[in-house]
């Protein structure tokens, strides 16, 4: 049993899968010799050679396009985009080719490819480094979108993503890359894509979140539970396709829901989740659903970043308003 943080768990998963399946290749900007900007791929080139772990050109469109070509010709590429805010030159390749290949070829070709991207705020980065863009991918049919919140989940979800026959966007919350460690089994295991995790059960309020926000929410609900409130906490894990059944059944039990994410509020993932709850459990609601999110602004530069991200104190205040409605 190893004790790893999130970034180490990702490295471990890549190492494990490259050892198990020689079709898996890893590439991206500086992922080879340097081991990646966050060191997620450190040691892989030395162990597996330059043909299976290598540096790409500094061009996101070329990285994604090359991966698509490799995937439809029998390889399983796992590519890294250094920061999700720089993926837009490759977005065309993702949306117009990777996501549509199965449909376009009527199932003759699929794109078994994972696109890893560090995302989100909280590390005082520069412009284009801190956005939460999960909704841009979740809106596109043909893509799966996965976000881990713990080292254990990072390994299990990444292994499942690599073995998926279709393209998976694997968004990594860089704020928690090295925030904490966790015991992880050395052996192979996967976590099903599309299945949420109920972190704790409760009776008064359903709280849905993912990624780095999970830890902030856990801090926020501690004082509320000391006051006697019972809160059910759900880590969505997969944003597309998301686990609608688990969330709706939870709301039928608690009668209240709040969705928390870093992404901007308007047209964000919370809007979709709350709409589905209104469609599936409206008559069970005892309070208006609540969105606790980032702001409808560009993510501020480091000195203003704390004004953008919902912190534990703000989350607790907003959850209290739902509980006492």
């Amino acid at each position: 049993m190893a004790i790893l943080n999130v970034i180490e768990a990702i490295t471990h998963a890549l190492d494990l899968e490259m050892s198990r399946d020689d079709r898996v290749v890893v590439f991206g900007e500086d992922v080879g010799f340097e081991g990646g900007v966050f060191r997620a791929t450190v040691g892989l080139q030395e162990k597996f050679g330059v043909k299976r772990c290598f540096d790409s050109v500094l061009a996101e469109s070329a990285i994604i396009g090359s991966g698509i070509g490799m995937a439809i010709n029998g390889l399983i590429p796992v590519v890294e985009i250094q920061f999700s805010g720089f993926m837009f030159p490759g977005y065309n390749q993702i949306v117009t080719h990777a996501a549509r290949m199965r449909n376009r070829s009527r199932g003759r070709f699929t794109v078994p490819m994972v696109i890893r991207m560090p995302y989100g705020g909280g590390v005082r980065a520069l412009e284009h480094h801190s956005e939460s863009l999960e909704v841009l991918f979740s809106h596109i049919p043909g893509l799966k979108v996965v976000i881990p919140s713990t080292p254990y989940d990072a390994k299990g979800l990444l292994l499942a993503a690599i073995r998926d026959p279709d393209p998976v966007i694997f968004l990594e919350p860089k704020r928690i890359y090295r925030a904490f460690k966790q015991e992880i089994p050395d052996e192979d295991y996967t976590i099903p894509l599309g299945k949420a995790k109920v972190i704790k059960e409760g009776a008064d309020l359903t709280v849905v979140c993912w990624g780095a926000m999970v830890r902030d929410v856990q801090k926020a609900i501690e004082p509320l539970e000391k006051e006697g409130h019972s809160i059910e906490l759900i880590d969505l894990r997969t944003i597309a396709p998301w686990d609608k059944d688990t969330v709706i059944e939870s709301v039928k039990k608690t009668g209240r829901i709040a969705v928390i994410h870093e992404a901007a509020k308007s047209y964000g993932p919370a809007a979709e989740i709350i709409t589905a709850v209104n469609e599936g459990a409206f008559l069970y609601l005892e309070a208006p659903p609540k969105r606790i999110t980032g702001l409808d602004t560009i993510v501020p530069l480091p000195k203003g970043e704390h004004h953008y991200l919902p912190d534990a104190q703000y989350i607790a205040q907003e959850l209290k308003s739902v509980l006492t409605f």
Side-chain angles (χ1 to χ4, degrees):
M1 187 82 76
I3 301 177
L4 305 177
N5 59 32
V6 170
I7 199 75
E8 291 168 338
I10 290 168
T11 308
H12 177 55
L14 292 171
D15 188 346
L16 195 67
E17 197 64 2
M18 293 178 79
S19 299
R20 191 188 72 87
D21 189 338
D22 60 12
R23 295 175 300 165
V24 178
V25 295
V26 172
F27 64 97
E29 297 167 3
D30 298 323
V31 307
F33 180 76
E34 295 289 345
V37 66
F38 290 103
R39 303 297 183 261
T41 56
V42 68
L44 297 180
Q45 186 179 79
E46 184 177 5
K47 182 173 181 178
F48 296 101
V50 294
K51 290 187 177 180
R52 296 189 60 201
C53 180
F54 56 91
D55 296 329
S56 70
V57 295
L58 300 180
E60 286 75 13
S61 181
I63 294 170
I64 304 298
S66 299
I68 294 169
M70 291 179 185
I72 63 177
N73 283 285
L75 295 177
I76 303 176
V78 182
V79 306
E80 178 179 295
I81 301 297
Q82 282 197 340
F83 294 90
S84 63
F86 293 115
M87 66 83 194
F88 288 102
Y91 192 63
N92 175 46
Q93 296 282 0
I94 295 172
V95 174
T96 61
H97 298 301
R100 305 177 71 93
M101 193 62 69
R102 178 185 286 276
N103 181 271
R104 177 182 297 155
S105 67
R106 299 299 183 261
R108 291 177 59 216
F109 299 105
T110 62
V111 180
M113 174 182 182
V114 177
I115 304 171
R116 296 181 39 247
M117 304 183 200
Y119 91 101
V123 298
R124 297 180 176 276
L126 303 175
E127 189 179 12
H128 298 303
H129 288 68
S130 303
E131 290 80 2
S132 294
L133 303 174
E134 57 265 45
V135 74
L136 293 187
F137 302 107
S138 300
H139 184 69
I140 305 301
L143 297 178
K144 296 183 177 72
V145 181
V146 176
I147 301 179
S149 66
T150 66
Y152 181 89
D153 283 7
K155 176 181 173 180
L157 290 168
L158 182 54
L159 289 176
I162 295 172
R163 297 170 192 178
D164 194 277
D166 293 302
V168 177
I169 308 296
F170 197 83
L171 294 173
E172 300 167 3
K174 58 183 179 291
R175 177 153 59 104
I176 59 169
Y177 264 158
R178 293 177 172 83
F180 62 102
K181 294 196 173 189
Q182 188 178 40
E183 285 191 345
I184 296 179
D186 295 323
E187 61 267 21
D188 190 344
Y189 67 89
T190 59
I191 296 173
L193 305 187
K195 183 65 179 174
K197 176 173 65 176
V198 179
I199 296 176
K200 61 177 293 303
E201 295 188 356
D204 301 332
L205 169 63
T206 297
V207 176
V208 180
C209 55
W210 52 86
M213 295 308 303
V214 172
R215 284 167 59 82
D216 296 306
V217 173
Q218 288 175 314
K219 293 175 186 174
I221 65 178
E222 283 181 11
L224 298 174
E225 295 203 310
K226 288 179 181 176
E227 294 176 7
H229 300 292
S230 175
I231 297 173
E232 184 144 304
L233 178 56
I234 297 175
D235 178 358
L236 209 55
R237 282 176 160 169
T238 303
I239 312 304
W242 65 283
D243 189 351
K244 193 181 300 182
D245 291 342
T246 293
V247 173
I248 289 178
E249 288 306 309
S250 176
V251 174
K252 287 181 177 178
K253 179 175 63 173
T254 66
R256 293 174 168 83
I257 181 170
V259 184
I260 301 165
H261 59 63
E262 288 185 36
K265 184 175 186 176
S266 297
Y267 303 99
E272 171 62 26
I273 294 168
I274 289 173
T275 298
V277 168
N278 282 333
E279 292 171 342
F282 180 75
L283 296 178
Y284 294 84
L285 290 171
E286 298 177 15
K290 173 76 76 175
R291 289 180 287 177
I292 305 169
T293 70
L295 306 176
D296 288 338
T297 65
I298 294 169
V299 180
L301 295 174
K303 287 186 178 180
E305 194 178 42
H306 62 288
H307 293 299
Y308 180 89
L309 295 172
D311 62 15
Q313 183 178 4
Y314 175 69
I315 294 168
Q317 171 190 314
E318 294 298 297
L319 294 181
K320 186 72 173 288
S321 71
V322 182
L323 286 162
T324 58
F325 177 82

